[in-house]
Each structure stands twice: as structure tokens, then as C-alpha cells.
Amino acid sequence: MAVHIRKAAAKLKRYHHFMSSIRAPLVKMLQDLIKIESINPSLAATGSGEQGVALFLEQYCKEKGLPYEFQEVADGRANFVTWRTGRDPDKRVLFVAHMDTVPIDKWETDPFSGEEHSGRVHGRGSCDDKASLAAMLTALSTLGDSQPATTIVVVASIDEEFRKIGARAIAQSGVTYDAAVVGEPTDLELVVAHKGSVRWQLEVQGVPAHTSKPYLGVNAITGMAKIVLAIDKLNAVLAKQDDPLVGPPAITVSLIEGGIELTTVPPVCRIWIDRRLKPGDSPQQAIQEVEDIVNTFRSGEDQIRVCSLLPAWEDPAPNSAEGTKIAEVASRACANVAGTGKYIGAPWGTDASQLSLAGIPCVVIGPGSVDQAHTSNEFVDIEQTVKAVEIYRQIMIEYEP
């Protein structure tokens, strides 16, 4: 008994020493990543994109002796890939976190300072998603003599905040993965399912006329207003279709534009529709539900000239990872390190939407809260980020197909 106690105490001492030793370099790496502006250029014309982060990661891998490569995706934007070969090199587990961020707005301080205070690191991308990225790379680089059963591949992806073309490139690369861990701010909770989305535009065509004689024209905005109210009623129907993990689906008219100038009956009006999908929902069926609505306005007394502008942007909801090996291993790691590990769902989306199309079972785990993501006071808790390193390490070491 005394021998077992001494061994347990020695193991615990080594664990605390490891956690203490990685804290400072991990925080420094996270701060360096935040200082690199990597706003998605599809969301802001002035956004620099992910290249600066990828070049930083290249230097990091050179210093750590890790192999790496760039996976070219589009327009000079590339995923960054590094790995550790496992005992079975043909089996792979993917760890992915994205490099891009959303734009900045109304920050009272420097959003790229990476300032540390009160046990937190602040700045754009701190929790979404550079803390997960720093933790994954630290986990990979500190495996030491622990050779994992499978090859561990860490990918820093592009474009997660817009159309997820980086994740789509991974899924379509021809490289197979037994499982994936997606880093996103979950407060180290284990997300095994989340919503998907499908987004597209509707356009109403009217007839221009002078507003002094509006009866000579057809008001596209008025026609669209009727359709928007009908879509709002659909949302009330969807709210009753609850999913035990992710909640009900939803539909939102999120953008609207129309008209050409103040004294002209508006000849055109467009809206953007954001439809959130629960697992099992078909993007095509979601579009058809709206088509059924607009058909009533096309053929009814209003005779509204309305059409869907397709193709839509589709991010299907991944199948739940419940019952999979990766969820089992991740649950144990979360419980061991953070006292978490219960299977939960989330209402938002991740790169798992595209990875799941390749049949890869995915879980989502990372430091920080989604409540801070995309805000003007974004931050991440340092202790959570340190614990994320150990959670990722345990998954890397313990996962066996």
C-alpha cells in the first residue's frame, strides 16, 4: 500500500511540475499569436488573413523539430499541418483549430496586445481560436518519449469564420482520419454534437415608379415584408422541434437591402436567411420549407416575383459522436484534468460540419467561453488553456482505434 501511495504521489508531483513548466511558454505563444492580426479577409476588406499565423507556426515547428507542410487551399491561403508519427502510421487522429478571426469593432484597448492580467489573456482571437491552437501545438511538442498509437495530425485551418473552406479541403484531401478533436471555446466541456447551418438569399423583383404615383409601380420591399413575416411564423414552428443535445432548429432573416433612392418605388429587395440545423436536418429540406412559403406568394393574390439565389452555403450538422471511441477517450481526459467530460451539445457550428462529410467522428473541446467569442472584450482563462494542453495530450496518447 505504501509503495502505491508513493508512486501515486510521485506521479502527481510530475504532473504538477509539467503543468507549471508549460505555463509561461504557452502564455507567450498565445500572446504572440494574438499580436498577429489574422482577420478573415472575406469578412473585412482590410483583414490580413491567416498567412502571418502560418509563418509563425512554421518557425515554431522548426524550433521544436516537428515536421510540417502547407496545404494550399485558395487565393494564397493555406492550412498549416504538422504531425507526430504513431506506432501505426496508417491510422490518424486529427486535431484542428482555426487561424482566422472575426473583425474588430468598438474595442477600447488594443485588440492585438495579448495583454495578460487577472489570470486572463485578452485580445481578438484569444479564445476563438488561438488558445486552442496554442494548446494543441504545445501538446504535440511535449509528447516526449510517449509514442501515440496513431499518427497525430494537428492542422491550423483557414476560413472557419466564413465558409470553412480550410476544413473542406481537409475532408476532401484523400487523407483518412479515424477521429477528430476540434478546438473551440467550450470551457473544457465535451461537445459531441452541434448545429449546422444553411444560408442563402431571397430576392423580390418589383417595378420602379415615382413615389408621387406609387400605384404605377410594384414595391419590392412591401412584398418582401410579407415574406419576412411568414418566415418568422416558420421559426415558431421550428422552435417546437427540440433536440435533446443542441436544442431546436431556427431561422433568422439576418440582412436586408432594397431600393435605389428616396423618391423611387423600390424595384428590388434582398434578404439573407440563416437557417440553423439540428443533427439529421437536411439543408435541401430546409431550403424547400422556405420555397413552400414563397410559392404561396408567387401564386397568391399578391403575385410577388420572388426567387431564391442559389447555391446556398451549406454546413450540415455533424452526427453526434455519442458511442464513438473518440468521445469515450475525450470524456476520460476531460474528467481527469478538468472535472468535466459530460456529453453536451452546442447551438453554434465548427469545422466539424465539413469534416463530418468525410465520415470523421468529431468532438469539440477547448479553453475559454463562447460568450467571449466575437466580443469587444475577448479573453481566455490561462488555467483553462494550461489544462487544455493536458487534455489534448491525454487524448493523443490514449486513443487507440
Side-chain angles (χ1 to χ4, degrees):
M1 176 66 75
V3 173
H4 288 304
I5 292 174
R6 286 197 299 271
K7 287 183 177 179
K11 182 177 180 181
L12 184 62
K13 185 178 180 179
R14 289 193 300 271
Y15 169 75
H16 285 300
H17 175 73
F18 169 75
M19 298 288 272
S20 176
S21 68
I22 66 170
R23 187 185 190 280
L26 176 63
V27 170
K28 175 66 164 56
M29 182 183 186
L30 176 56
Q31 291 175 315
D32 288 344
L33 286 170
I34 292 169
K35 290 174 183 177
I36 303 170
E37 183 263 289
S38 57
I39 294 171
N40 191 310
S42 297
L43 299 177
T46 57
S48 299
E50 304 89 352
Q51 184 180 13
V53 172
L55 293 176
F56 173 88
L57 298 181
E58 179 183 30
Q59 185 60 37
Y60 176 86
C61 288
K62 285 180 178 178
E63 293 172 358
K64 298 296 182 180
L66 292 170
Y68 66 89
E69 64 184 21
F70 295 89
Q71 180 191 17
E72 199 69 29
V73 179
D75 301 325
R77 299 165 69 186
N79 293 332
F80 183 85
V81 185
T82 182
W83 62 91
R84 172 74 179 270
T85 303
R87 295 192 299 274
D88 185 346
D90 295 326
K91 297 289 186 179
R92 302 174 193 85
V93 175
L94 172 68
F95 286 72
V96 60
H98 62 90
M99 297 181 282
D100 61 318
T101 74
V102 295
I104 54 173
D105 184 36
K106 299 181 180 178
W107 281 71
E108 296 180 359
T109 58
D110 180 2
F112 307 112
S113 68
E115 180 182 356
E116 176 189 353
H117 60 81
S118 302
R120 298 167 173 173
V121 175
H122 294 252
R124 174 57 81 224
S126 53
C127 75
D128 187 17
D129 194 31
K130 294 179 178 180
S132 290
L133 180 58
M136 286 180 174
L137 286 162
T138 300
L140 187 73
S141 66
T142 56
L143 286 178
D145 295 332
S146 301
Q147 187 180 28
T150 67
T151 294
I152 304 299
V153 180
V154 176
V155 177
S157 67
I158 69 164
D159 197 50
E160 190 276 343
E161 297 288 4
F162 187 55
R163 298 195 66 180
K164 299 178 176 60
I165 62 174
R168 192 175 310 135
I170 298 169
Q172 296 175 352
S173 67
V175 178
T176 58
Y177 294 95
D178 291 86
V181 177
V182 179
E184 288 284 357
T186 70
D187 277 325
L188 302 183
E189 298 286 351
L190 177 57
V191 173
V192 296
H194 64 66
K195 288 184 180 179
S197 64
V198 56
R199 302 178 178 110
W200 75 103
Q201 286 182 288
L202 289 182
E203 180 180 273
V204 168
Q205 290 285 341
V207 176
H210 197 283
T211 51
S212 64
K213 293 185 176 181
Y215 52 85
L216 296 178
V218 177
N219 192 316
I221 291 177
T222 301
M224 185 65 84
K226 296 176 181 179
I227 293 172
V228 168
L229 291 175
I231 290 174
D232 193 52
K233 290 181 179 179
L234 171 61
N235 190 52
V237 174
L238 295 174
K240 299 176 183 178
Q241 301 175 15
D242 198 28
D243 180 274
L245 280 173
V246 306
I251 189 167
T252 303
V253 175
S254 54
L255 291 170
I256 186 167
E257 60 181 359
I260 52 176
E261 60 92 28
L262 185 61
T263 60
T264 300
V265 173
V268 66
C269 183
R270 297 186 187 92
I271 60 172
W272 272 101
I273 295 173
D274 181 301
R275 171 67 152 84
R276 297 293 165 145
L277 310 167
K278 66 183 189 327
D281 284 350
S282 160
Q284 292 73 30
Q285 181 58 39
I287 294 171
Q288 187 58 50
E289 289 172 347
V290 175
E291 279 295 298
D292 292 343
I293 290 172
V294 299
N295 276 333
T296 64
F297 289 99
R298 291 188 187 112
S299 58
E301 62 177 350
D302 292 301
Q303 297 286 299
I304 296 174
R305 295 165 57 198
V306 54
C307 65
S308 293
L309 303 182
L310 300 172
W313 300 354
E314 298 181 8
D315 282 315
N319 291 328
S320 173
E322 294 173 290
T324 64
K325 182 71 172 181
I326 190 64
E328 177 187 332
V329 173
S331 179
R332 286 199 303 269
C334 288
N336 291 340
V337 177
T340 56
K342 178 183 176 182
Y343 293 172
I344 66 169
W348 29 258
T350 75
D351 275 342
S353 293
Q354 295 299 320
L355 300 175
S356 65
L357 294 176
I360 306 170
C362 301
V363 296
V364 186
I365 317 160
S369 169
V370 74
D371 293 346
Q372 272 71 58
H374 298 200
T375 70
S376 57
N377 185 33
E378 185 177 350
F379 63 82
V380 68
D381 182 83
I382 292 172
E383 292 310 312
Q384 276 198 11
T385 309
V386 173
K387 288 179 179 179
V389 174
E390 181 59 16
I391 289 173
Y392 295 148
R393 283 181 81 252
Q394 288 191 18
I395 297 171
M396 290 174 181
I397 293 167
E398 295 180 13
Y399 182 90
E400 294 190 26

